Amino acid sequence: MNAIDISTGRIQDLADKFEITELVHRLGRALDEGDWDELAALYTHDATARTPGGKAVGRAALVGQAGRNHSPDRQIQHIISGIIVELNGDTATVRANLLCVFAWGPTQDPTLGSQPRLTLGEVYRFAAVRTGDGWQFSSVASSPVWSVGTRPRPSAA
């Protein structure tokens, strides 16, 4: 099969997989930067989340949970790889690996920023649906595989 033999359906599948992969990467960026408006736009209004941070039903609850678990006093990086998208018409399932590094507090050298304190290895599983606004997640679940470091204590209120 050469490039000019690619069917329109195959091109649409590739475009859908690219859009969904971008959705996964936008999720990481939104969580890293605390961009809750961006995070909300990635999910359907009735989306569900099941993560080590809790369960949430509905876009507002999901964004609220993310905000509580991604404190602005910590630097966080979500490194997402191994994204596999399985299309089924206007729905898709997605599996991805997540490496998440949480850093806070000063280092010996202030030019280095915060110090990594917790690193998590998890597996993301998403359900996605094609909407009038493009692909959005209808559910997300993350399952811990391993961790190194100490989880932070909740800040005093």
Side-chain angles (χ1 to χ4, degrees):
M1 174 193 235
N2 63 40
I4 52 179
D5 291 336
I6 296 177
S7 70
T8 302
R10 177 79 173 128
I11 292 171
Q12 184 61 55
D13 286 353
L14 291 170
D16 289 340
K17 286 182 177 191
F18 178 81
E19 187 175 339
I20 294 166
T21 298
E22 284 291 302
L23 203 62
V24 173
H25 289 301
R26 287 174 48 207
L27 170 72
R29 182 186 69 198
L31 291 169
D32 288 350
E33 297 177 0
D35 187 341
W36 310 130
D37 291 336
E38 170 76 4
L39 185 68
L42 304 177
Y43 288 95
T44 60
H45 71 282
D46 59 348
T48 61
R50 184 181 47 79
T51 71
K55 293 181 183 178
V57 177
R59 186 185 286 153
L62 194 145
V63 171
Q65 175 180 302
R68 285 187 302 278
N69 293 319
H70 294 78
S71 173
D73 65 332
R74 296 186 181 94
Q75 298 300 308
I76 304 170
Q77 282 190 307
H78 291 74
I79 303 161
I80 305 170
S81 67
I83 300 169
I84 300 171
V85 178
E86 298 289 337
L87 295 171
N88 186 12
D90 289 337
T91 64
T93 57
V94 183
R95 183 202 185 278
N97 292 314
L98 169 65
L99 178 65
C100 192
V101 180
F102 293 79
W104 62 92
T107 63
Q108 297 295 336
D109 181 350
T111 64
L112 297 177
S114 298
Q115 179 176 332
R117 306 287 180 138
L118 174 65
T119 303
L120 304 173
E122 297 186 2
V123 173
Y124 267 142
R125 295 190 188 278
F126 301 95
V129 61
R130 188 190 318 268
T131 72
D133 294 323
W135 285 94
Q136 292 179 305
F137 295 128
S138 57
S139 70
V140 59
S142 66
S143 302
V145 177
W146 58 267
S147 67
V148 175
T150 305
R151 294 184 184 273
R153 291 188 177 94
S155 54

mmCIF file of all heavy atoms in Angstrom, residues 43-72:
data_model
loop_
_atom_site.group_PDB
_atom_site.id
_atom_site.type_symbol
_atom_site.label_atom_id
_atom_site.label_comp_id
_atom_site.label_asym_id
_atom_site.label_seq_id
_atom_site.Cartn_x
_atom_site.Cartn_y
_atom_site.Cartn_z
ATOM 1 N N TYR A 43 -13.362 17.591 29.182
ATOM 2 C CA TYR A 43 -14.309 16.591 29.665
ATOM 3 C C TYR A 43 -15.744 16.917 29.271
ATOM 4 O O TYR A 43 -16.116 18.079 29.171
ATOM 5 C CB TYR A 43 -14.237 16.507 31.196
ATOM 6 C CG TYR A 43 -12.971 15.853 31.676
ATOM 7 C CD1 TYR A 43 -11.871 16.608 32.043
ATOM 8 C CD2 TYR A 43 -12.870 14.472 31.746
ATOM 9 C CE1 TYR A 43 -10.700 16.006 32.474
ATOM 10 C CE2 TYR A 43 -11.706 13.861 32.176
ATOM 11 C CZ TYR A 43 -10.633 14.627 32.536
ATOM 12 O OH TYR A 43 -9.476 14.035 32.949
ATOM 13 N N THR A 44 -16.552 15.866 29.124
ATOM 14 C CA THR A 44 -17.984 16.046 28.932
ATOM 15 C C THR A 44 -18.579 16.556 30.247
ATOM 16 O O THR A 44 -17.975 16.418 31.318
ATOM 17 C CB THR A 44 -18.661 14.719 28.536
ATOM 18 O OG1 THR A 44 -18.461 13.753 29.572
ATOM 19 C CG2 THR A 44 -18.114 14.197 27.204
ATOM 20 N N HIS A 45 -19.779 17.124 30.171
ATOM 21 C CA HIS A 45 -20.405 17.689 31.374
ATOM 22 C C HIS A 45 -20.667 16.631 32.451
ATOM 23 O O HIS A 45 -20.666 16.939 33.630
ATOM 24 C CB HIS A 45 -21.702 18.424 31.019
ATOM 25 C CG HIS A 45 -22.820 17.503 30.622
ATOM 26 N ND1 HIS A 45 -22.893 16.924 29.382
ATOM 27 C CD2 HIS A 45 -23.883 17.047 31.324
ATOM 28 C CE1 HIS A 45 -23.962 16.143 29.324
ATOM 29 N NE2 HIS A 45 -24.583 16.197 30.485
ATOM 30 N N ASP A 46 -20.855 15.379 32.047
ATOM 31 C CA ASP A 46 -21.170 14.312 33.005
ATOM 32 C C ASP A 46 -20.003 13.340 33.216
ATOM 33 O O ASP A 46 -20.191 12.210 33.662
ATOM 34 C CB ASP A 46 -22.406 13.549 32.548
ATOM 35 C CG ASP A 46 -22.240 12.916 31.162
ATOM 36 O OD1 ASP A 46 -21.258 13.251 30.447
ATOM 37 O OD2 ASP A 46 -23.084 12.088 30.786
ATOM 38 N N ALA A 47 -18.802 13.787 32.940
ATOM 39 C CA ALA A 47 -17.619 12.926 33.045
ATOM 40 C C ALA A 47 -17.420 12.420 34.470
ATOM 41 O O ALA A 47 -17.866 13.046 35.437
ATOM 42 C CB ALA A 47 -16.380 13.696 32.595
ATOM 43 N N THR A 48 -16.738 11.284 34.562
ATOM 44 C CA THR A 48 -16.414 10.705 35.871
ATOM 45 C C THR A 48 -14.906 10.537 35.997
ATOM 46 O O THR A 48 -14.208 10.372 34.996
ATOM 47 C CB THR A 48 -17.086 9.330 36.059
ATOM 48 O OG1 THR A 48 -16.611 8.431 35.059
ATOM 49 C CG2 THR A 48 -18.594 9.450 35.987
ATOM 50 N N ALA A 49 -14.435 10.584 37.231
ATOM 51 C CA ALA A 49 -13.013 10.369 37.505
ATOM 52 C C ALA A 49 -12.885 9.428 38.693
ATOM 53 O O ALA A 49 -13.646 9.532 39.663
ATOM 54 C CB ALA A 49 -12.321 11.687 37.817
ATOM 55 N N ARG A 50 -11.921 8.528 38.589
ATOM 56 C CA ARG A 50 -11.553 7.643 39.709
ATOM 57 C C ARG A 50 -10.030 7.615 39.732
ATOM 58 O O ARG A 50 -9.393 7.033 38.874
ATOM 59 C CB ARG A 50 -12.120 6.246 39.520
ATOM 60 C CG ARG A 50 -11.842 5.328 40.715
ATOM 61 C CD ARG A 50 -12.381 3.924 40.520
ATOM 62 N NE ARG A 50 -12.073 3.344 39.219
ATOM 63 C CZ ARG A 50 -10.895 2.794 38.874
ATOM 64 N NH1 ARG A 50 -9.888 2.791 39.719
ATOM 65 N NH2 ARG A 50 -10.715 2.273 37.676
ATOM 66 N N THR A 51 -9.460 8.306 40.699
ATOM 67 C CA THR A 51 -8.012 8.414 40.827
ATOM 68 C C THR A 51 -7.645 8.195 42.292
ATOM 69 O O THR A 51 -8.539 8.171 43.154
ATOM 70 C CB THR A 51 -7.509 9.805 40.381
ATOM 71 O OG1 THR A 51 -7.912 10.773 41.360
ATOM 72 C CG2 THR A 51 -8.052 10.201 39.012
ATOM 73 N N PRO A 52 -6.347 8.075 42.607
ATOM 74 C CA PRO A 52 -5.967 7.994 44.020
ATOM 75 C C PRO A 52 -6.436 9.212 44.816
ATOM 76 O O PRO A 52 -6.583 9.136 46.030
ATOM 77 C CB PRO A 52 -4.445 7.912 43.974
ATOM 78 C CG PRO A 52 -4.160 7.272 42.654
ATOM 79 C CD PRO A 52 -5.201 7.845 41.716
ATOM 80 N N GLY A 53 -6.720 10.317 44.119
ATOM 81 C CA GLY A 53 -7.205 11.528 44.786
ATOM 82 C C GLY A 53 -8.681 11.498 45.100
ATOM 83 O O GLY A 53 -9.197 12.412 45.731
ATOM 84 N N GLY A 54 -9.398 10.470 44.653
ATOM 85 C CA GLY A 54 -10.819 10.370 44.955
ATOM 86 C C GLY A 54 -11.660 10.070 43.734
ATOM 87 O O GLY A 54 -11.147 9.841 42.633
ATOM 88 N N LYS A 55 -12.968 10.097 43.947
ATOM 89 C CA LYS A 55 -13.938 9.881 42.874
ATOM 90 C C LYS A 55 -14.693 11.182 42.658
ATOM 91 O O LYS A 55 -14.963 11.919 43.613
ATOM 92 C CB LYS A 55 -14.926 8.775 43.245
ATOM 93 C CG LYS A 55 -14.296 7.414 43.349
ATOM 94 C CD LYS A 55 -15.343 6.377 43.706
ATOM 95 C CE LYS A 55 -14.686 5.007 43.877
ATOM 96 N NZ LYS A 55 -15.651 3.989 44.258
ATOM 97 N N ALA A 56 -15.033 11.451 41.416
ATOM 98 C CA ALA A 56 -15.799 12.653 41.097
ATOM 99 C C ALA A 56 -16.748 12.344 39.949
ATOM 100 O O ALA A 56 -16.409 11.588 39.043
ATOM 101 C CB ALA A 56 -14.871 13.798 40.713
ATOM 102 N N VAL A 57 -17.924 12.936 40.009
ATOM 103 C CA VAL A 57 -18.920 12.789 38.950
ATOM 104 C C VAL A 57 -19.333 14.181 38.514
ATOM 105 O O VAL A 57 -19.751 14.995 39.340
ATOM 106 C CB VAL A 57 -20.150 11.987 39.426
ATOM 107 C CG1 VAL A 57 -21.202 11.902 38.332
ATOM 108 C CG2 VAL A 57 -19.740 10.590 39.888
ATOM 109 N N GLY A 58 -19.204 14.453 37.230
ATOM 110 C CA GLY A 58 -19.543 15.761 36.682
ATOM 111 C C GLY A 58 -18.301 16.622 36.525
ATOM 112 O O GLY A 58 -17.351 16.518 37.301
ATOM 113 N N ARG A 59 -18.340 17.449 35.494
ATOM 114 C CA ARG A 59 -17.184 18.288 35.160
ATOM 115 C C ARG A 59 -16.737 19.161 36.330
ATOM 116 O O ARG A 59 -15.556 19.228 36.649
ATOM 117 C CB ARG A 59 -17.534 19.152 33.951
ATOM 118 C CG ARG A 59 -16.398 19.962 33.418
ATOM 119 C CD ARG A 59 -16.843 20.882 32.302
ATOM 120 N NE ARG A 59 -17.090 20.131 31.089
ATOM 121 C CZ ARG A 59 -17.943 20.518 30.143
ATOM 122 N NH1 ARG A 59 -18.644 21.629 30.276
ATOM 123 N NH2 ARG A 59 -18.101 19.793 29.052
ATOM 124 N N ALA A 60 -17.689 19.820 37.001
ATOM 125 C CA ALA A 60 -17.319 20.727 38.097
ATOM 126 C C ALA A 60 -16.665 19.961 39.244
ATOM 127 O O ALA A 60 -15.657 20.408 39.809
ATOM 128 C CB ALA A 60 -18.545 21.487 38.591
ATOM 129 N N ALA A 61 -17.205 18.798 39.596
ATOM 130 C CA ALA A 61 -16.621 17.999 40.678
ATOM 131 C C ALA A 61 -15.241 17.492 40.296
ATOM 132 O O ALA A 61 -14.322 17.469 41.116
ATOM 133 C CB ALA A 61 -17.546 16.831 41.022
ATOM 134 N N LEU A 62 -15.084 17.103 39.039
ATOM 135 C CA LEU A 62 -13.801 16.602 38.555
ATOM 136 C C LEU A 62 -12.730 17.695 38.624
ATOM 137 O O LEU A 62 -11.621 17.458 39.108
ATOM 138 C CB LEU A 62 -13.997 16.120 37.119
ATOM 139 C CG LEU A 62 -12.928 15.268 36.511
ATOM 140 C CD1 LEU A 62 -13.577 14.240 35.601
ATOM 141 C CD2 LEU A 62 -11.976 16.115 35.736
ATOM 142 N N VAL A 63 -13.079 18.892 38.188
ATOM 143 C CA VAL A 63 -12.131 20.009 38.238
ATOM 144 C C VAL A 63 -11.834 20.385 39.685
ATOM 145 O O VAL A 63 -10.685 20.657 40.040
ATOM 146 C CB VAL A 63 -12.664 21.216 37.424
ATOM 147 C CG1 VAL A 63 -11.812 22.458 37.649
ATOM 148 C CG2 VAL A 63 -12.715 20.862 35.935
ATOM 149 N N GLY A 64 -12.846 20.360 40.549
ATOM 150 C CA GLY A 64 -12.635 20.656 41.960
ATOM 151 C C GLY A 64 -11.676 19.667 42.609
ATOM 152 O O GLY A 64 -10.791 20.052 43.371
ATOM 153 N N GLN A 65 -11.850 18.383 42.285
ATOM 154 C CA GLN A 65 -10.960 17.347 42.819
ATOM 155 C C GLN A 65 -9.531 17.587 42.346
ATOM 156 O O GLN A 65 -8.584 17.511 43.137
ATOM 157 C CB GLN A 65 -11.433 15.967 42.373
ATOM 158 C CG GLN A 65 -10.502 14.844 42.780
ATOM 159 C CD GLN A 65 -11.010 13.493 42.308
ATOM 160 O OE1 GLN A 65 -12.111 13.102 42.654
ATOM 161 N NE2 GLN A 65 -10.203 12.807 41.518
ATOM 162 N N ALA A 66 -9.360 17.883 41.083
ATOM 163 C CA ALA A 66 -8.015 18.139 40.543
ATOM 164 C C ALA A 66 -7.380 19.332 41.246
ATOM 165 O O ALA A 66 -6.193 19.307 41.585
ATOM 166 C CB ALA A 66 -8.082 18.367 39.040
ATOM 167 N N GLY A 67 -8.159 20.378 41.483
ATOM 168 C CA GLY A 67 -7.635 21.565 42.162
ATOM 169 C C GLY A 67 -7.175 21.269 43.577
ATOM 170 O O GLY A 67 -6.157 21.785 44.028
ATOM 171 N N ARG A 68 -7.923 20.425 44.280
ATOM 172 C CA ARG A 68 -7.530 20.063 45.650
ATOM 173 C C ARG A 68 -6.262 19.221 45.670
ATOM 174 O O ARG A 68 -5.461 19.310 46.597
ATOM 175 C CB ARG A 68 -8.664 19.292 46.335
ATOM 176 C CG ARG A 68 -9.836 20.164 46.755
ATOM 177 C CD ARG A 68 -10.843 19.391 47.579
ATOM 178 N NE ARG A 68 -11.400 18.221 46.895
ATOM 179 C CZ ARG A 68 -12.391 18.239 46.016
ATOM 180 N NH1 ARG A 68 -12.947 19.406 45.688
ATOM 181 N NH2 ARG A 68 -12.845 17.130 45.463
ATOM 182 N N ASN A 69 -6.076 18.384 44.662
ATOM 183 C CA ASN A 69 -4.947 17.451 44.650
ATOM 184 C C ASN A 69 -3.705 17.993 43.952
ATOM 185 O O ASN A 69 -2.668 17.336 43.949
ATOM 186 C CB ASN A 69 -5.374 16.134 44.000
ATOM 187 C CG ASN A 69 -6.400 15.416 44.845
ATOM 188 O OD1 ASN A 69 -6.301 15.372 46.058
ATOM 189 N ND2 ASN A 69 -7.408 14.871 44.208
ATOM 190 N N HIS A 70 -3.808 19.159 43.349
ATOM 191 C CA HIS A 70 -2.674 19.771 42.646
ATOM 192 C C HIS A 70 -2.485 21.178 43.197
ATOM 193 O O HIS A 70 -2.807 22.162 42.558
ATOM 194 C CB HIS A 70 -2.921 19.781 41.131
ATOM 195 C CG HIS A 70 -2.960 18.416 40.545
ATOM 196 N ND1 HIS A 70 -4.056 17.597 40.648
ATOM 197 C CD2 HIS A 70 -2.031 17.726 39.865
ATOM 198 C CE1 HIS A 70 -3.795 16.448 40.050
ATOM 199 N NE2 HIS A 70 -2.579 16.497 39.566
ATOM 200 N N SER A 71 -1.957 21.232 44.395
ATOM 201 C CA SER A 71 -1.783 22.467 45.130
ATOM 202 C C SER A 71 -0.832 23.421 44.398
ATOM 203 O O SER A 71 0.204 22.998 43.892
ATOM 204 C CB SER A 71 -1.222 22.123 46.514
ATOM 205 O OG SER A 71 -0.891 23.280 47.208
ATOM 206 N N PRO A 72 -1.177 24.716 44.370
ATOM 207 C CA PRO A 72 -0.318 25.683 43.679
ATOM 208 C C PRO A 72 1.047 25.894 44.344
ATOM 209 O O PRO A 72 1.941 26.461 43.739
ATOM 210 C CB PRO A 72 -1.133 26.976 43.690
ATOM 211 C CG PRO A 72 -2.147 26.800 44.763
ATOM 212 C CD PRO A 72 -2.386 25.323 44.912
#
